[in-house]
Amino acid sequence: MNRLTIFLSCMSIAGCSGVFDYHPYDVRFDGEKDINSHNISRIEEDCRDKESLTVAFISDSHGWYGDTEDMIADINSHPDVDFVVHGGDLTDCGTTKEYIWQRDRLARLKVPYVALIGNHDFLGTGNETYSVMYGKMDFSFIAGRIKFVCLNTNATEYDYVAAVPNLDYMEEQHTADSALFDRSVVCMHARPYCEQFNNNVAKTFQLYIRTFPGLLFCVNGHDHCLQIEEIYDDGIIYYGVPSANRRSYLLFNITKDGYTYEVIHF
């Protein structure tokens, strides 16, 4: 789908029955902002001394609002979930209203969540809206002595000009707050060798991935289907999270002895 077609679709999504109350890509909006930072504080406080974690990984909710609502209700029915990681593509077209619609639905989660940015979330001024609503595009947090490193890997949205993925940031995260974590999980929207990734640095990226202390696994979205793959044949598994319309998500239980996971269908 070309960008003109996407834009026209977004105009329809924004509400074309009358005159716009504001431009669909206007970054001004009311309600909660800097969500990731606020929720990271909650996650780190709530999980500081936990020896086991239960984490729900969801992704690619796009415009599937009914499916997203059902998914949130299902997650809320699991009392053991500590927090949720959304793998990106909150929106279809990056419009401000789409961001608001998804934010207001995700706010119904009983536990805190963080959201990565996906390639669809860049459309128009979507990346600016994401920055205001959620915060930095590369971020990390520590829960139960496990560092979760969340990376912007949407290289094609920058025409390969920017340092995406940011290898310098990854290197910093190997040692930042090293006394507070022993193991790592790396999350991204687009995984290596997909069309969104900068595959010129795919092998270098994996060298940086492998040096995270006690790396457990990697998680990605973007492909809309369940994936369980050892991409580089080096023992590191990449788990792809299905899109909301597939009516499933991944639930990981991480203990001091390792981890297990379930594909949850709702």
Side-chain angles (χ1 to χ4, degrees):
M1 184 182 293
N2 62 41
R3 286 184 178 262
L4 176 59
T5 304
I6 291 173
F7 177 76
L8 292 174
S9 298
C10 293
M11 295 284 282
S12 175
I13 288 171
C16 295
S17 58
V19 178
F20 288 118
D21 53 348
Y22 56 84
H23 192 279
Y25 288 113
D26 191 328
V27 177
R28 293 171 295 179
F29 59 88
D30 296 324
E32 190 175 7
K33 300 177 176 67
D34 201 19
I35 293 170
N36 284 348
S37 178
H38 298 157
N39 283 345
I40 283 171
S41 295
R42 291 176 57 194
I43 292 168
E44 292 188 327
E45 179 63 28
D46 293 346
C47 300
R48 189 182 309 279
D49 299 319
K50 297 200 71 169
E51 293 188 355
S52 65
L53 296 175
T54 300
V55 186
F57 291 92
I58 65 177
S59 194
D60 295 83
S61 43
H62 288 288
W64 295 304
Y65 300 109
D67 294 320
T68 299
E69 290 171 358
D70 291 345
M71 181 167 59
I72 290 167
D74 191 86
I75 293 171
N76 286 341
S77 73
H78 292 267
D80 54 337
V81 173
D82 292 296
F83 58 91
V84 176
V85 176
H86 191 299
D89 276 359
L90 295 143
T91 70
D92 241 355
C93 307
T95 64
T96 302
K97 281 189 175 180
E98 287 180 285
Y99 270 106
I100 292 170
W101 292 335
Q102 287 290 4
R103 179 197 64 186
D104 293 349
R105 283 166 172 79
L106 290 165
R108 301 172 192 171
L109 285 164
K110 293 180 179 179
V111 295
Y113 77 97
V114 297
L116 284 73
I117 189 168
N119 56 301
H120 279 254
D121 301 326
F122 276 88
L123 294 173
T125 57
N127 56 319
E128 297 176 39
T129 303
Y130 174 90
S131 295
V132 175
M133 186 174 287
Y134 287 98
K136 296 179 180 179
M137 296 181 192
D138 293 308
F139 61 93
S140 70
F141 58 95
I142 297 171
R145 296 198 62 83
I146 300 169
K147 176 176 275 192
F148 290 79
V149 182
C150 300
L151 301 174
N152 171 21
T153 55
N154 303 288
T156 62
E157 300 306 317
Y158 298 89
D159 293 325
Y160 302 105
V161 174
V164 176
N166 189 333
L167 301 178
D168 288 340
Y169 178 81
M170 294 174 68
E171 184 175 16
E172 292 169 5
Q173 293 306 307
H174 292 159
T175 56
D177 298 313
S178 58
L180 302 179
F181 74 99
D182 312 299
R183 294 178 293 170
S184 310
V185 173
V186 179
C187 310
M188 65 203 78
H189 181 66
R191 68 179 192 161
Y193 298 113
C194 79
E195 85 292 345
Q196 273 291 322
F197 199 87
N198 182 358
N199 291 309
N200 291 314
V201 299
K203 291 184 178 179
T204 304
F205 177 81
Q206 189 64 0
L207 290 176
Y208 279 74
I209 289 286
R210 291 174 61 182
T211 52
F212 276 104
L215 181 67
L216 292 167
F217 54 88
C218 297
V219 184
N220 66 270
H222 184 60
D223 293 315
H224 289 205
C225 60
L226 175 65
Q227 298 163 313
I228 305 169
E229 187 174 354
E230 194 177 317
I231 296 176
Y232 294 88
D233 295 322
D234 60 358
I236 299 171
I237 299 177
Y238 284 70
Y239 292 91
V241 183
S243 51
N245 70 319
R246 298 294 182 98
R247 299 187 63 81
S248 58
Y249 61 92
L250 299 183
L251 192 64
F252 278 74
N253 181 246
I254 307 172
T255 70
K256 62 181 181 180
D257 299 318
Y259 71 88
T260 58
Y261 74 92
E262 297 178 71
V263 182
I264 305 295
H265 298 276
F266 59 90

